[in-house]
Amino acid sequence: MKYALIENNVVKVISYQPVDGWEQVSDNVFADMVRKEDGTFDYTDEFKQNHTYDYTAEETKKASGKQKLRDLGLDDAEIKALIGV
């Protein structure tokens, strides 16, 4: 179990030790989460949008890097030996 300092339905701080005035919360509650009307916790849509990872950009960079290695004269077997992909 964890303990949370909650202000205006927003989790400000989490502690693993009991603190006077803090609420006991489940292990899947983290700082910056908001308590919903049904008592569950979730991140706001804005938080989720600002903290997502762009896998498309990573794949584009990986493909670009492979092409640059090909342009340097390496074949696919040599590239795979270097980067494992």
Side-chain angles (χ1 to χ4, degrees):
M1 263 309 146
K2 297 195 277 190
Y3 301 87
L5 172 60
I6 301 173
E7 297 175 351
N8 298 321
N9 286 329
V10 177
V11 178
K12 297 295 183 178
V13 181
I14 293 288
S15 172
Y16 290 94
Q17 302 298 321
V19 178
D20 285 340
W22 290 25
E23 295 183 35
Q24 187 173 346
V25 295
S26 63
D27 288 335
N28 64 347
V29 175
F30 302 96
D32 296 319
M33 286 184 142
V34 176
R35 182 174 27 211
K36 300 190 300 187
E37 288 181 13
D38 64 2
T40 61
F41 291 84
D42 197 3
Y43 290 109
T44 63
D45 291 336
E46 180 183 3
F47 183 92
K48 290 177 189 177
Q49 188 175 33
N50 291 334
H51 292 85
T52 58
Y53 187 76
D54 185 0
Y55 292 99
T56 306
E58 182 178 328
E59 291 299 316
T60 301
K61 288 179 184 179
K62 191 180 294 183
S64 173
K66 284 183 179 181
Q67 185 57 51
K68 289 176 184 176
L69 291 172
R70 285 187 190 100
D71 293 344
L72 290 172
L74 279 72
D75 62 31
D76 287 338
E78 292 170 319
I79 293 170
K80 185 175 182 179
L82 284 173
I83 63 174
V85 179

